[in-house]
Amino acid sequence: MNSEKINQIKNLLKTQKKIVVVGHKNPDGDALGSCLGIANYLQQKGHIVQVVMPNDFPSFLKWIPESNSILNFNQHTAEVREVISQADLIFTLDFNALNRTGDLGTLLENAKADFVMIDHHQQPDDYAVVTYSDVSMCSTAEMVFHFMEALEDLEFLNAEISTQLYTGIMTDTGSFRFPATTATTHRVIATLIENGANNAAIHQNVYDTNTPDRLKLLGVALSNLTILTEFKTAFITLSQKELDDHNFKKGDTEGFVNYALSMEGINMAAIFIESEKDNIVKISFRSKGEFSVNEFARTHFNGGGHTNAAGGKSDTALIKTTSDFISILPTYKEALNYVA
Ligand code: 5GP
Ligand code: MN
């Protein structure tokens, strides 16, 4: 953050404010960790803060400190309307466009409050009075640390914030393995551990939560794997019936797409998951190296994200969606044929 933005933020926070902190739809570890972390910090600074999410989040993230204080718009619609209408400031974290909050987006668009954006996704929209966007960052949680650092407020880094930010960084970096993980990230992590993040416990809480149903669903996903060697691409499908047969719960398919990408010689992977409730197919894309799944998802599947991790959706049936996907690939044959 440059000094002008730091001063703008200091000005906005000079007097006590009513602040709402918002994350994206289907909140992940980074959305939750960064929002809860900044909320704890702003509360310590004397502000009145409420964290809001568009909808519920998976149970493997429900142990995060203070996550039970979150209002989700799906379940607490009236309360969310009320806090947003009362807010002086709305901090939006871990997303780059208000439509990433689903139905909550319209409410946000009409809010009278000033917005502050903290985010690491590409092509941020211009709705905030202060936009702290850095696409080189591994996670929004790391940005919250730098935000506190820039405001010379690291003394507020307690065990709760350390745990919240550690969780965000860990989940968005695939446990510190993706290329955006830097030496600075590791220094930040070291500081978070020094301030009370219990690294072993956090890994266990997030990753050692398999149920028999989830492991069997993974088995189905892997048996549905299609490998398109010509395009260095692999994809997985899961139908609504397959999900139902395994008592699917939010978060159960998290990380499945990475198995498709983990094969040698595969540069792009996708998972297509049917959702009868929303009448869409939800898609996750991953890549290794230069191929931008952000561009691919934006161009063809009404989505976006990062160069190596993006998402999107399709309104057509599962079979048609995957056949459309396959029919697009020849255009990208050369772009996909590199050694990662
Ligand atoms: P995931 O595949 O884990 O759901 O998401 C991967 C990345 O893509 C995340 O950074 C997420 O914010 C972004 N993303 C996922 N779905 C969408 C979408 O529908 N639209 C946009 N713009 N980004 C998405
Ligand atoms: Mn993120």
Side-chain angles (χ1 to χ4, degrees):
M1 259 203 309
N2 62 29
S3 56
E4 190 194 329
K5 287 187 186 181
I6 294 168
N7 285 334
Q8 271 178 292
I9 291 283
K10 281 185 175 162
N11 267 334
L12 286 173
L13 298 176
K14 219 163 35 195
T15 53
Q16 188 189 57
K17 294 283 159 66
K18 292 198 191 85
I19 302 175
V20 174
V21 179
V22 185
H24 56 77
K25 191 171 173 187
N26 299 323
D28 57 9
D30 192 30
L32 292 162
S34 60
C35 287
L36 289 167
I38 202 156
N40 184 306
Y41 161 62
L42 292 169
Q43 249 152 13
Q44 290 186 66
K45 295 274 280 178
H47 302 287
I48 301 161
V49 189
Q50 176 62 53
V51 177
V52 165
M53 294 291 160
N55 59 348
D56 201 8
F57 50 95
S59 57
F60 69 83
L61 296 170
K62 292 209 166 154
W63 61 272
I64 300 176
E66 293 154 353
S67 59
N68 58 3
S69 70
I70 294 172
L71 290 179
N72 94 53
F73 184 56
N74 253 2
Q75 281 159 25
H76 312 106
T77 312
E79 289 107 305
V80 171
R81 281 186 189 283
E82 179 63 19
V83 289
I84 287 181
S85 72
Q86 297 293 320
D88 306 306
L89 282 176
I90 299 177
F91 277 65
T92 68
L93 278 83
D94 201 37
F95 63 88
N96 56 359
L98 294 178
N99 65 15
R100 293 280 297 124
T101 63
D103 296 339
L104 184 56
T106 326
L107 198 60
L108 294 173
E109 272 164 22
N110 296 318
K112 64 169 196 332
D114 283 333
F115 284 79
V116 176
M117 179 203 274
I118 304 180
D119 182 46
H120 66 138
H121 293 89
Q122 296 179 6
Q123 291 139 293
D125 274 2
D126 188 17
Y127 58 77
V129 291
V130 182
T131 299
Y132 172 31
S133 159
D134 187 344
V135 301
S136 74
M137 281 285 153
C138 70
S139 59
T140 305
E142 183 178 333
M143 296 177 74
V144 170
F145 181 96
H146 296 308
F147 181 92
M148 292 174 65
E149 195 176 34
L151 293 169
E152 297 169 277
D153 274 340
L154 284 182
E155 73 207 67
F156 292 100
L157 197 66
N158 55 22
E160 287 73 32
I161 300 181
S162 298
T163 304
Q164 291 152 347
L165 299 186
Y166 188 103
T167 306
I169 297 172
M170 178 190 82
T171 52
D172 253 31
T173 57
S175 299
F176 319 111
R177 59 169 289 195
F178 299 146
T181 314
T182 62
T184 303
T185 310
H186 284 281
R187 282 188 204 102
V188 169
I189 283 293
T191 307
L192 297 177
I193 293 173
E194 281 167 356
N195 283 279
N198 183 338
N199 49 313
I202 295 172
H203 282 260
Q204 197 175 318
N205 286 343
V206 172
Y207 296 119
D208 297 347
T209 55
N210 273 319
T211 57
D213 271 334
R214 179 178 190 260
L215 283 187
K216 287 179 185 160
L217 184 65
L218 173 61
V220 173
L222 295 179
S223 64
N224 290 348
L225 179 72
T226 303
I227 302 166
L228 304 163
T229 317
E230 206 188 342
F231 306 114
K232 298 199 169 205
T233 293
F235 73 88
I236 290 169
T237 59
L238 281 172
S239 68
Q240 185 67 60
K241 174 155 194 327
E242 288 164 333
L243 299 172
D244 292 345
D245 287 348
H246 297 85
N247 293 311
F248 170 78
K249 281 178 213 66
K250 207 177 245 309
D252 278 355
T253 56
E254 195 74 36
F256 283 12
V257 65
N258 297 325
Y259 287 95
L261 192 68
S262 70
M263 279 178 294
E264 207 180 333
I266 294 298
N267 288 341
M268 172 161 69
I271 185 167
F272 297 86
I273 303 172
E274 191 174 35
S275 170
E276 266 172 10
K277 175 173 68 71
D278 299 323
N279 208 12
I280 58 164
V281 176
K282 179 76 190 113
I283 316 163
S284 288
F285 298 102
R286 299 291 185 269
S287 66
K288 289 196 282 257
E290 67 208 42
F291 188 79
S292 171
V293 285
N294 169 47
E295 292 302 331
F296 187 84
R298 262 174 202 274
T299 310
H300 302 288
F301 293 99
N302 195 20
H306 310 281
T307 304
N308 297 130
K313 49 190 163 299
S314 149
D315 297 327
T316 52
L318 183 59
I319 291 277
K320 171 85 167 86
T321 303
T322 55
S323 67
D324 286 349
F325 173 69
I326 295 169
S327 72
I328 296 163
L329 292 177
T331 329
Y332 292 93
K333 188 170 176 183
E334 266 175 41
L336 282 162
N337 269 279
Y338 55 88
V339 178

